[in-house]
Amino acid sequence: MSMATVNPATGETERTFPTLGPEEVERVLADAAAAFASWRTTGFAERAALLERAASLLEEENEAIARVMTTEMGKPLGAARAEAAKCVKAMRWYAANAESLLADERPAEADVRDSGASSVRTHYRPLGVVLAVMPWNFPLWQVVRFAAPALMAGNTGLLKHASNVPQTALYLGELFERAGYPHGCFQTLLIGSAQVEAVVRDPRVAAATLTGSEPAGRAVAAAAGDEVKKTVLELGGSDPFVVMASADVERAARTAVTARVQNNGQSCIAAKRFIVHTDVYEEFARRFTEGMAALRVGDPMRDDTDVGPLATERGRADVEELVDDAVEQGAEVLCGGRRPPQEEHGWYYEPTVLAGITPGMRIDQEEAFGPVATLYRVGSLDEAVERANHTPFGLSSNVWTRDDGEVARFVRDLEAGGVFFNGMTASHPAFPFGGVKRSGYGRELSGHGIREFCNVTTVWHAAD
């Protein structure tokens, strides 16, 4: 069995790599467990120095790894460079802040005395070997936002990356070793999906984290739950982008274009459903559609390209099926809705805006993982909230309003892991990231993320 880099801009297979057999997987697991035994005892200063070294290597190699990412999954080269830079930022943030984020916590003295203790503290200890099952859409960032806090907490990591980004996966495994981490601290497992369950169930693996599809999340969570192991899941999203009557419509429409087509539209936190108050609907629809139609689709290696190809042929077919289903049921195509006629090779799809969406259409409830936006008209705040929550997902949300009362209502009632006002959803190492409902559970990034894979230990000393 093998994995391959298939360039989505051309459809051509560029490199193939053999997957690991049972004996090789066993060696990796043994090395990870052995590394944890000593790595867990290191101090924060030592861990931070190594993570800083890894960050510096990545910073120096930004252009090279950006080109690998673009070749493997098709994101515009400028976006790939930005992704690598964001990883450097996160690594340095955790190197600087992990010690304070995991500092012992002490309860109120009155509670200590009431318990009959002389002292009590909460102490954070690493769990052990953590398996990360990661997706192809942000092939560097998704991994680093797990690896940086996990390693700083004293865990060791195993990476099972998506099968279409093997070069990025191998780079990450080598990056930490080249930075000086002890052998076994962070390793890449080139294995197929069918091999994941056995790794999850292995007694040397303490926990798992997955970013990806709902079916993949269910499978990993089921196996881990059966073994009583901790999991963190970040799954799909169908994020609302709500525009109320008081919004700056021109700015909202301009931001909406970027929010929808970031990463060629293949982002869980990309805005997908545009819910617009009737008072500004016509203006927003016009400006938004004009912006989407003006985007340049083409070779992702060109700096003037706005939208590159979708990552896989199956992914493009999924998008086409959702659009075709909506059109067959009466949706109006305001722009796009087809493959670019000038692109004979590769898995390209035009930026698309659909209006007239009704509940029977698949796209009303399913995530469109490509540059396709759906428009909804609403007549009130209540209707906007109801429409925004009318999805099985709850990852993030965007709201455009200048009304403080509306702000309070959306904060209280939107079913999402984040509410971004007058801007687009973005992740930052200092802020918790994750969702509710079928978008998953647990949090990445910030102090919440680094503590997800820690043993929260109560240390109690009796009074004399």
Side-chain angles (χ1 to χ4, degrees):
M1 183 177 174
S2 63
M3 294 181 177
T5 296
V6 181
N7 191 330
T10 63
E12 296 178 357
T13 299
E14 302 213 349
R15 293 187 65 183
T16 58
F17 301 86
T19 55
L20 302 184
E23 292 183 359
E24 294 166 306
V25 172
E26 167 58 31
R27 175 182 50 77
V28 169
L29 286 164
D31 288 349
F36 174 68
S38 57
W39 179 248
R40 63 187 295 273
T41 67
T42 57
F44 284 106
E46 181 180 347
R47 297 175 196 168
L50 291 172
L51 191 57
E52 281 281 0
R53 197 174 303 160
S56 295
L57 284 172
L58 179 54
E59 188 172 47
E60 294 168 6
E61 296 161 3
N62 179 294
E63 182 68 18
I65 189 58
R67 288 184 173 275
V68 170
M69 286 191 285
T70 295
T71 299
E72 291 201 306
M73 58 73 55
K75 72 173 71 224
L77 184 57
R81 295 182 184 120
E83 180 175 339
K86 187 174 184 177
C87 292
V88 171
K89 179 179 180 178
M91 293 162 83
R92 288 178 171 155
W93 190 87
Y94 272 110
N97 292 286
E99 184 171 9
S100 62
L101 294 172
L102 296 179
D104 287 354
E105 299 171 2
R106 299 183 184 276
E109 282 300 318
D111 293 327
V112 173
R113 291 192 300 271
D114 185 63
S115 76
S118 61
S119 69
V120 181
R121 60 194 170 98
T122 301
H123 182 64
Y124 293 98
R125 295 185 289 169
L127 283 182
V129 180
V130 182
L131 170 67
V133 182
M134 293 288 111
W136 48 261
N137 57 335
F138 292 96
L140 208 64
W141 169 243
Q142 303 278 17
V143 178
V144 166
R145 75 183 192 190
F146 148 74
L151 290 169
M152 283 303 302
N155 296 296
T156 56
L158 297 176
L159 169 62
K160 189 285 178 210
H161 219 323
S163 60
N164 59 325
V165 290
Q167 292 185 69
T168 307
L170 291 169
Y171 172 84
L172 283 158
E174 295 164 0
L175 174 69
F176 291 104
E177 192 152 320
R178 287 189 292 121
Y181 279 82
H183 179 69
C185 275
F186 191 89
Q187 301 172 87
T188 290
L189 277 169
L190 284 190
I191 59 176
S193 298
Q195 298 168 273
V196 171
E197 182 177 347
V199 177
V200 172
R201 291 183 180 276
D202 190 283
R204 290 164 293 191
V205 172
T209 180
L210 178 142
T211 298
S213 69
E214 187 180 337
R218 287 178 183 274
V220 167
D226 192 46
E227 300 291 340
V228 197
K229 295 181 181 181
K230 173 73 176 289
T231 53
V232 170
L233 303 180
E234 193 262 279
L235 308 177
S238 189
D239 291 3
F241 189 104
V242 181
V243 183
M244 298 302 291
S246 65
D248 180 338
V249 177
E250 187 278 330
R251 186 164 156 250
R254 180 164 25 92
T255 304
V257 174
T258 303
R260 184 62 201 97
V261 301
Q262 59 174 310
N263 208 48
N264 301 340
Q266 301 165 122
S267 170
C268 295
I269 58 169
K272 298 182 177 76
R273 298 175 299 125
F274 296 82
I275 300 162
V276 187
H277 193 280
T278 189
D279 290 352
V280 293
Y281 178 89
E282 297 298 339
E283 180 186 357
F284 178 87
R286 175 179 57 80
R287 290 180 179 275
F288 179 49
T289 301
E290 289 173 352
M292 291 283 282
L295 294 170
R296 184 188 296 271
V297 179
D299 183 355
M301 288 293 184
R302 289 176 56 98
D303 286 332
D304 61 352
T305 292
D306 299 308
V307 179
L310 298 188
T312 66
E313 190 171 16
R314 178 67 254 175
R316 182 176 63 178
D318 290 343
V319 169
E320 288 178 320
E321 289 170 10
L322 286 177
V323 173
D324 291 346
D325 172 77
V327 172
E328 288 170 5
Q329 297 189 60
E332 181 184 3
V333 179
L334 301 186
C335 71
R338 61 175 186 170
R339 304 178 184 185
Q342 72 275 17
E343 299 294 345
E344 298 180 3
H345 305 286
W347 302 313
Y348 295 89
Y349 197 77
E350 290 185 347
T352 300
V353 179
L354 300 177
I357 305 301
T358 58
M361 298 173 185
R362 288 176 53 198
I363 202 168
D364 184 55
Q365 290 293 297
E366 297 181 30
E367 180 181 21
F369 217 56
V372 177
T374 52
L375 273 176
Y376 297 83
R377 185 196 296 262
V378 294
S380 67
L381 173 59
D382 287 344
E383 191 179 355
V385 172
E386 180 182 5
R387 172 53 60 184
N389 289 337
H390 183 65
T391 172
F393 301 106
L395 193 52
S396 189
S397 59
N398 312 258
V399 177
W400 289 73
T401 178
R402 289 182 279 202
D403 184 306
D404 290 342
E406 291 178 346
V407 167
R409 175 70 186 283
F410 282 113
V411 170
R412 187 191 75 182
D413 289 346
L414 280 185
E415 298 168 352
V419 187
F420 286 69
F421 288 98
N422 302 321
M424 59 179 274
T425 298
S427 55
H428 185 283
F431 309 144
F433 180 86
V436 296
K437 301 197 291 188
R438 291 189 181 178
S439 288
Y441 52 75
R443 291 296 179 264
E444 297 177 286
L445 303 175
S446 76
H448 295 278
I450 196 171
R451 289 189 285 268
E452 284 282 6
F453 295 114
C454 287
N455 178 353
V456 184
T457 309
T458 298
V459 182
W460 188 95
H461 293 270
D464 294 334

